[in-house]
Amino acid sequence: MMSKLISVIIFLNIFCCKENLNTSYLEKKETKYKTDDSEKSVKDSILYKTSKTCGSTKYSIGLSLSKQNIILEKDGYIFNIPSSKLIEELSDKEMVSDFWIDCHCISNGLKINYEFDLYHYKHKSNLHFVYFKGKEIFITKALRFYSDRNQENLLGLNFENPIGYSYDAVNENTLLELIKFENFQDENYNQNINDYFNDFKKHFESKSFNQLKLKGDTIVLKQSLKNVTIRNAITKYNDIAYYLEQSGAHEEAIYLLEKIIENFPDRTVAYINLGDAYWGLGKKEHAKNAYLVYVEQMTSKNKKEKIPKRVVERTK
């Protein structure tokens, strides 16, 4: 039981950062129709309020039970985001023991995470990636996490053509299973990433790069590394990093390759893959540094003649 609680806490740290929350969910349920300003009507009350500052932009986000909307304010402009499904989820008092909203800065937008603690050591999180264009707000990606004493499951969806943001727009039936771990109650069961790796290989071979990039999101990689370490699956993680780099998911490849090198500094092939990933991002100095380590290790192994021509050219 304690290991599952620790697992949930670790995952929350991976997903987002929580700040400026008001009171606990139980307290809010008891006082949900009160307002800070007695002159305001009940309909104007905004609950579960949190805020986030990204550069010079300040965001405030909350939930109105009466209007069944998420209320998001950006530099004085108000977005009313449909969220009847969120209200419905929260209304199950026998299931939900706590709820909060997290925000995290991304380029021109936010990661908004809706966190539910459920009774009987269960937890779920709905993470939405949103961006702003003028006075419009769009959703580009959604991730959903669920855990209990026996399993952890992460689902996701990329919107290839971003749509107007609504919490209700994410249909669970359309979500792709990204990674799953189970059998935590079985002390003799060894976690593995066989299915996760096989999906990567299948998407790479079929050139399904959008699905591959979604499965290689750093949030998914962190979840995988938490359950199966680099040392327990080095070959598979190395191949996953290669698939990511070759598919144009350079940032995700860099994240995983640096983890590999941290654990296996003598793994020569990781340095050329890291150099290629940095080169793909246009970070040529970082790429050169990685290539030089690759060259050094290849030379020390008497394999200098096998160094690819592109590496020689890029390190001049």
Side-chain angles (χ1 to χ4, degrees):
M1 182 173 71
M2 182 58 69
S3 63
K4 282 302 298 172
L5 289 174
I6 293 172
S7 176
V8 169
I9 290 170
I10 292 173
F11 189 84
L12 297 187
N13 289 334
I14 288 174
F15 242 26
C16 272
C17 52
K18 176 172 34 170
E19 59 174 278
N20 298 335
L21 301 181
N22 291 344
T23 54
S24 73
Y25 174 64
L26 292 175
E27 291 171 325
K28 288 169 188 168
K29 284 198 296 185
E30 294 170 358
T31 61
K32 64 183 180 181
Y33 294 114
K34 291 184 179 180
T35 62
D36 295 332
D37 187 342
S38 59
E39 295 180 1
K40 289 184 178 180
S41 69
V42 170
K43 292 183 179 180
D44 292 327
S45 63
I46 298 177
L47 310 173
Y48 314 107
K49 189 172 183 179
T50 185
S51 63
K52 185 72 179 175
T53 300
C54 302
S56 60
T57 302
K58 183 175 181 179
Y59 301 92
S60 295
I61 184 169
L63 179 65
S64 171
L65 294 182
S66 55
K67 293 183 178 180
Q68 296 198 346
N69 276 341
I70 297 163
I71 313 297
L72 192 150
E73 182 178 355
K74 175 180 179 282
D75 292 337
Y77 188 82
I78 302 294
F79 297 88
N80 289 285
I81 302 164
S83 58
S84 59
K85 188 162 64 174
L86 177 58
I87 303 300
E88 182 181 344
E89 290 177 279
L90 282 171
S91 66
D92 190 347
K93 297 179 181 179
E94 294 184 359
M95 179 68 72
V96 180
S97 64
D98 201 0
F99 170 77
W100 62 95
I101 301 172
D102 291 343
C103 294
H104 191 75
C105 304
I106 57 176
S107 178
N108 197 33
L110 288 173
K111 287 193 292 187
I112 305 175
N113 195 23
Y114 307 93
E115 298 272 10
F116 299 79
D117 275 344
L118 311 177
Y119 291 107
H120 308 297
Y121 305 102
K122 298 177 181 180
H123 177 84
K124 67 177 179 179
S125 306
N126 293 323
L127 176 61
H128 296 172
F129 289 68
V130 302
Y131 81 96
F132 300 86
K133 185 176 181 180
K135 293 185 177 180
E136 294 182 290
I137 181 172
F138 300 92
I139 182 169
T140 61
K141 179 166 56 179
L143 297 175
R144 180 167 296 171
F145 173 75
Y146 174 81
S147 72
D148 57 31
R149 291 180 175 181
N150 191 54
Q151 65 172 318
E152 294 178 353
N153 194 15
L154 186 55
L155 308 171
L157 175 67
N158 265 333
F159 292 90
E160 294 184 26
N161 298 305
I163 62 173
Y165 180 40
S166 165
Y167 182 94
D168 301 337
V170 183
N171 186 335
E172 188 166 358
N173 295 327
T174 65
L175 295 177
L176 172 71
E177 183 172 280
L178 304 179
I179 196 166
K180 184 175 184 179
F181 294 99
E182 51 191 350
N183 297 321
F184 289 111
Q185 305 258 30
D186 184 353
E187 296 180 356
N188 297 316
Y189 184 81
N190 293 318
Q191 298 296 334
N192 63 75
I193 58 167
N194 295 340
D195 291 340
Y196 184 54
F197 171 78
N198 289 334
D199 283 345
F200 255 99
K201 185 177 180 180
K202 178 183 68 176
H203 293 321
F204 183 74
E205 291 174 346
S206 64
K207 301 186 185 303
S208 303
F209 297 140
N210 285 333
Q211 289 184 320
L212 184 147
K213 290 177 183 179
L214 184 59
K215 290 186 78 74
D217 189 287
T218 54
I219 290 173
V220 188
L221 292 173
K222 289 176 183 177
Q223 183 69 6
S224 181
L225 291 169
K226 179 173 70 69
N227 286 283
V228 180
T229 66
I230 293 285
R231 292 187 174 276
N232 287 336
I234 177 58
T235 302
K236 287 185 171 64
Y237 278 126
N238 190 86
D239 288 351
I240 287 172
Y242 172 77
Y243 294 147
L244 288 168
E245 187 277 318
Q246 289 289 299
S247 304
H250 300 302
E251 291 183 356
E252 293 81 358
I254 289 168
Y255 170 81
L256 185 52
L257 287 164
E258 288 183 341
K259 293 292 185 184
I260 290 172
I261 290 170
E262 180 182 323
N263 285 270
F264 293 93
D266 294 329
R267 191 165 184 86
T268 305
V269 67
Y271 291 98
I272 187 173
N273 292 337
L274 182 61
D276 289 343
Y278 273 125
W279 192 270
L281 284 180
K283 296 184 177 182
K284 296 186 178 181
E285 195 61 33
H286 287 78
K288 184 176 180 179
N289 291 336
Y291 287 141
L292 287 173
V293 177
Y294 170 75
V295 170
E296 180 183 353
Q297 292 195 7
M298 288 291 284
T299 302
S300 68
K301 296 176 182 179
N302 297 318
K303 296 181 178 180
K304 189 173 182 179
E305 71 283 355
K306 295 185 178 181
I307 296 174
K309 183 178 178 180
R310 73 179 185 281
V311 174
V312 176
E313 292 175 348
R314 292 173 182 180
T315 52
K316 288 181 179 178

